Amino acid sequence: MDALKACYGDGSSDSDSESVPSSSTLAQPKVLTPLPPPPISLLEPQNFVGSLDLQIGQTTRVRSFPHVDGNYALHVYIPINISSPAKKELATFLKKVSCREPTLNVVDVDVPLNILCKNDEKLEQIALGREFHISLGRTVPIRVHQIDSVVSMLRQKLQTQNHYWIDFNKWEIFVNDEHTRTFVSLEVVQGGLVQITKQIEAVNAIYKLHNLPEFYKDPRPHISLAWAPGDISHSLKNVIDEEMKKCVVGKPLKKCIFSCKFSGIECKVGQKTYAVCKISDGK
């Protein structure tokens, strides 16, 4: 999947930056440039026995801002990796949702989810085996002369962070600003919310100093797992709620869907990733 990310550019930031309720202050581009699909060869994990007939059509992804020579996309985020036990549970739920909403695709890879659901190992590896992101700021364009200043200030403000746990407590539906995509996401509503909110405030302060648009007023930290074209938030929300009710029947109520340790903060500028802070396992 590292090869996929390297080849397909800055796609990992798209899902997080697009999947928040619309309140964008960025001007709409006059021309929306569709991004090409990734090579199908990169969807085959190494050492995987067997294959699926994965077919990728032309994606409908559009840039949040027009490409300008000398501009680089900036994205500040917390990297999130899902543990193996959690992958199995999430995969089971996604299969149920996909059966009722066949237009769902895997975030970033843009493969139809119902195709992956035919093989559990493929589903876990491709749909849930990648690195996810909790965005701490909007994905915005910056000029080359701003890069060193932004990265330096991020490290200065955020390099000292304590260890904490992030709990993903809630399945939620988000729609991008342009209402061209609907996302199936996992939201942080309790454990880790206070710490992440403070980190977002720090990033906002740095964005403001560089005349960059700040994050949404009421941020809702989350990771996005799947997307569907258009705004189908109402119907997809009903599907999620109904499937959740089925999951809890006769079972003890779980406090969260899955948890992970906060491991640090990264900043991606164009194709280059900078470590803002790193939390060791022993800290």
Side-chain angles (χ1 to χ4, degrees):
M1 294 307 294
D2 290 338
L4 172 64
K5 292 165 71 176
C7 179
Y8 197 42
D10 207 18
S12 61
S13 64
D14 291 345
S15 63
D16 289 329
S17 63
E18 289 181 340
S19 57
V20 187
S22 60
S23 61
S24 175
T25 58
L26 294 178
Q28 291 287 343
K30 293 182 179 180
V31 179
L32 301 178
T33 307
L35 299 182
I40 189 64
S41 60
L42 294 179
L43 297 177
E44 191 69 39
Q46 295 180 354
N47 302 322
F48 180 77
V49 179
S51 63
L52 289 175
D53 183 19
L54 300 182
Q55 296 181 353
I56 302 179
Q58 179 65 37
T59 66
T60 58
R61 179 180 303 177
V62 296
R63 300 180 188 274
S64 297
F65 44 83
H67 172 71
V68 177
D69 288 339
N71 279 3
Y72 294 83
L74 166 68
H75 184 216
V76 186
Y77 58 88
I78 299 171
I80 299 292
N81 291 287
I82 302 173
S83 65
S84 294
K87 286 179 189 176
K88 295 186 180 300
E89 189 171 343
L90 294 175
T92 299
F93 186 81
L94 286 175
K95 286 173 71 173
K96 294 177 181 178
V97 174
S98 178
C99 287
R100 299 184 56 184
E101 183 46 70
T103 65
L104 285 172
N105 298 271
V106 178
V107 165
D108 292 342
V109 182
D110 293 349
V111 176
L113 189 59
N114 56 9
I115 292 180
L116 291 180
C117 288
K118 297 176 182 178
N119 184 294
D120 289 344
E121 187 174 357
K122 203 80 164 181
L123 176 61
E124 291 181 26
Q125 287 182 343
I126 295 179
L128 301 171
R130 53 177 286 267
E131 181 183 271
F132 295 89
H133 302 147
I134 295 178
S135 291
L136 299 179
R138 293 178 185 267
T139 298
V140 296
I142 62 172
R143 303 295 293 177
V144 64
H145 68 270
Q146 295 177 299
I147 296 175
D148 289 344
S149 175
V150 169
V151 174
S152 177
M153 287 188 180
L154 286 170
R155 286 172 172 168
Q156 184 179 10
K157 282 260 188 183
L158 296 167
Q159 66 179 347
T160 304
Q161 298 289 317
N162 295 319
H163 173 269
Y164 64 89
W165 282 88
I166 301 173
D167 295 335
F168 293 90
N169 317 82
K170 182 183 179 183
W171 286 99
E172 189 55 271
I173 302 301
F174 293 98
V175 179
N176 67 352
D177 291 338
E178 296 79 17
H179 293 270
T180 57
R181 285 192 172 203
T182 304
F183 293 86
V184 178
S185 307
L186 285 169
E187 186 178 1
V188 180
V189 296
Q190 293 179 358
L193 181 60
V194 172
Q195 294 90 335
I196 295 172
T197 301
K198 290 181 179 179
Q199 291 164 352
I200 290 173
E201 291 172 353
V203 173
N204 266 343
I206 295 169
Y207 272 35
K208 189 174 182 179
L209 288 173
H210 291 83
N211 294 317
L212 300 173
E214 299 174 48
F215 212 38
Y216 303 92
K217 286 187 176 181
D218 298 308
R220 300 174 63 183
H222 64 277
I223 60 174
S224 294
L225 304 183
W227 68 274
D231 184 348
I232 60 167
S233 53
H234 181 71
S235 60
L236 194 51
K237 175 70 172 173
N238 289 337
V239 170
I240 292 291
D241 290 345
E242 290 172 9
E243 291 300 329
M244 281 298 297
K245 289 177 182 178
K246 294 178 184 178
C247 289
V248 299
V249 173
K251 298 179 182 179
L253 186 62
K254 295 179 63 176
K255 291 184 178 180
C256 70
I257 298 168
F258 86 94
S259 298
C260 67
K261 291 181 180 179
F262 168 70
S263 61
I265 298 172
E266 294 180 355
C267 168
K268 189 169 186 180
V269 182
Q271 298 299 317
K272 186 172 182 179
T273 301
Y274 300 83
V276 174
C277 76
K278 181 75 174 177
I279 305 297
S280 63
D281 290 337
K283 186 171 181 179

